[in-house]
Each structure stands twice: as C-alpha cells, then as structure tokens.
Amino acid sequence: MVIDSLPPLRDVIRTHDLQARKSMGQNFLLDLNLTAKIARLAGNLSSCDVLEIGPGPGGLTRGLLSEGARHVLAIEKDARCLPALSDVAQAYPGRLTVLHGDALEIDPLTHLTPPIRVAANLPYNVGTELLVRWLTPKVWPPFWQSLTLMFQREVAERIVASPGSKTYGRLAILAQWRSDARIVLQLPPEAFTPPPKVSSSVVHLSALSEPRYPADPAVLSRVVAAAFNQRRKMLRAALKNVAPDIEDRLVSAGLKPTDRAEQIHLEGFCALARAVAAP
C-alpha cells in the first residue's frame, strides 16, 4: 500500500544516513502498512491534534497524517532525523510541527490544541517514564484523550496485568486506576530495523473522566511504590515506613496485614490510600 508520495522509509534512511542508535533507544519501524495500522488504532484523528515522541525517519508520522490527523506535533531528540521530517512536513503542508529536543524537558501543550491524542513508537529508554508522567498529572482529566504507545512486550504486559500475575505492579495500578488499557497489536523483532532482542506491543489507553475509585494520587503512588518495592513481603512489612500504625490502617481498608501486594486489587489499594491519608 502506498500511503503518500514520499519515498519508502528504507530509501529515506539511506538518503539521510539514519542508522538507528542504540544509545538513543532507536528501533525504526519501516513498514508503512504497519505504521498506518497503528495510526488507525489511535482512533479517528480528523478532529484531533496528535503528539508523537521520537518520530525518527517519520514512519508513524506519515501514518498519522495519511490517516487524517488534524495536526501532528513531533518531538525528536536526534538532529539527524530533522531533514527527513522536514520532507514529511512539506508533503503535508501546515499539518506537521517538529520540535528538536528532549521530550522529558519540553512542554508540548503550548503547541497543541485540544482534543489531543498521543501516538508514538516510544524510544525504549524513556518510554516508561513518559507513561508514568502522563498517568500522574496534578489535574485529571489529563490533556490527552488517549495514548497509543509501542513498548517492549514485557512493559506492555505490566500495564495490562491482573492481580496475582508476575507482571502485576505499579504500572498496572497507575494505568488501570485512571484509564482503560489494552494491548491492541503485537509486533515481532523482525518488524524493526535493527531488530531488537525482544518483541513489542502497542498499548491503547483511553482516559477515564474520573478515576475508578477515590484516592489521593500522591498517597496512592507512595503506597503502591512501597508495596511493590519488596515483592512477596507481607504488606505490614513492606509498608512499615508509610505509617507507624500501618497494621491498623490495613485493617480499616479491609486488607489483611499478611496480604502481599501482588494479591491486592486496584480497589483495595485505593482504600488503603484513603486509610493512610486519614487523620
């Protein structure tokens, strides 16, 4: 399938000498059919601005634009990629803005108009940190309607994990407290250049208008971080530094001091956060 008049991505990489750099967490997805599919998984983009992190040579960027995104803001740290992205901007006049810089340091909101969706093949070395930031803003609902993000499969499974599973932990709690999260696409290593050592997955998260259960975000984050910092420990031991009377607070939340973090459902953690925050 030809999605636009621009050259194939392998030609773009050759023209601009864009060999992926491991130090920047780069693995380029070169199949434009796949990038267009990922763009479609982000939903109807015709009335949305889209934030993309780490566009690289512009494969997903082209997918987003060809699928009708109103406007795309792409933040790219690697200056080598800017000429290729400039070519994309020229092919889609007025619909692509490229910022050169670190996504962890740039505030994108001055360049975006709501409604906003996020879609990205996130660089492996910053993906989890960006996700946690997007899930833990001071004000909810957040600036984004949805996140459609590619991760290493292990990270994706942690986001959608259920209590009792080996991958259940802080990411699952934070993601499922305020969003609907599901894996929507699996990708093998050979889909990328260079092929990573692990498989990848695309996760789609839709923001809820309100959290599933009431809790103070800062307290919930602190409780969850402490609880999963020492997996397999009883809650009374893992949380002993959270409150001096933690056993009483566990009981008031309907939990047993001998429970372990991986057994506790989201509702239980929110109840515990309320109990810890109580006078």
Side-chain angles (χ1 to χ4, degrees):
M1 179 180 72
V2 177
I3 67 170
D4 55 30
S5 60
L6 291 165
L9 283 172
R10 291 191 185 279
D11 293 349
V12 172
I13 287 174
R14 188 180 307 112
T15 299
H16 296 285
D17 193 23
L18 294 179
Q19 301 307 312
R21 289 181 175 172
K22 187 176 181 180
S23 63
M24 302 189 79
Q26 292 174 329
N27 295 92
F28 297 148
L29 185 60
L30 302 186
D31 186 336
L32 291 171
N33 293 320
L34 276 175
T35 60
K37 182 175 183 178
I38 293 168
R40 289 193 294 274
L41 290 170
N44 183 353
L45 305 177
S46 60
S47 61
C48 297
D49 279 12
V50 180
L51 172 62
E52 182 187 7
I53 307 298
L60 180 57
T61 315
R62 290 166 62 177
L64 294 167
L65 291 165
S66 70
E67 290 296 322
R70 180 177 68 190
H71 183 259
V72 175
L73 172 66
I75 300 177
E76 178 54 63
K77 188 176 183 179
D78 188 351
R80 299 177 308 145
C81 297
L82 299 182
L85 293 170
S86 178
D87 291 344
V88 178
Q90 290 179 36
Y92 294 92
R95 295 175 58 205
L96 173 62
T97 299
V98 180
L99 297 183
H100 178 216
D102 189 336
L104 296 174
E105 300 174 358
I106 291 176
D107 179 6
L109 297 185
T110 56
H111 303 272
L112 293 165
T113 301
I116 300 164
R117 296 175 185 251
V118 181
N121 172 11
L122 291 174
Y124 283 168
N125 51 4
V126 297
T128 301
E129 182 173 353
L130 283 169
L131 175 62
V132 170
R133 287 189 184 191
W134 290 329
L135 290 172
T136 56
K138 293 181 179 179
V139 177
W140 195 269
F143 74 86
W144 50 272
Q145 287 186 336
S146 68
L147 310 172
T148 306
L149 307 172
M150 191 182 303
F151 295 99
Q152 297 179 50
R153 185 169 297 176
E154 176 188 358
V155 176
E157 289 174 348
R158 284 163 52 198
I159 294 168
V160 302
S162 300
S165 66
K166 292 181 179 180
T167 51
Y168 183 65
R170 176 171 174 255
L171 270 186
I173 296 294
L174 294 180
Q176 296 171 35
W177 181 46
R178 287 171 153 176
S179 74
D180 285 323
R182 57 196 177 93
I183 293 175
V184 293
L185 185 65
Q186 306 278 17
L187 293 167
E190 53 269 24
F192 299 86
T193 300
K197 295 181 180 179
V198 295
S199 297
S200 300
S201 301
V202 177
V203 183
H204 184 79
L205 302 96
S206 299
L208 300 174
S209 57
E210 297 285 345
R212 295 187 191 280
Y213 307 102
D216 179 278
V219 176
L220 179 63
S221 292
R222 182 161 58 96
V223 166
V224 170
F228 285 102
N229 188 45
Q230 302 180 69
R231 296 180 73 95
R232 302 183 188 83
K233 271 199 170 185
M234 295 179 188
L235 285 177
R236 65 185 176 198
L239 299 173
K240 62 182 179 182
N241 293 325
V242 171
D245 56 346
I246 191 61
E247 290 204 31
D248 293 339
R249 294 179 188 255
L250 284 164
V251 171
S252 69
L255 303 175
K256 298 177 182 178
T258 54
D259 285 341
R260 290 172 171 77
E262 52 267 32
Q263 300 173 288
I264 308 303
H265 287 252
L266 171 61
E267 185 176 8
F269 274 113
C270 291
L272 178 56
R274 295 194 299 272
V276 169

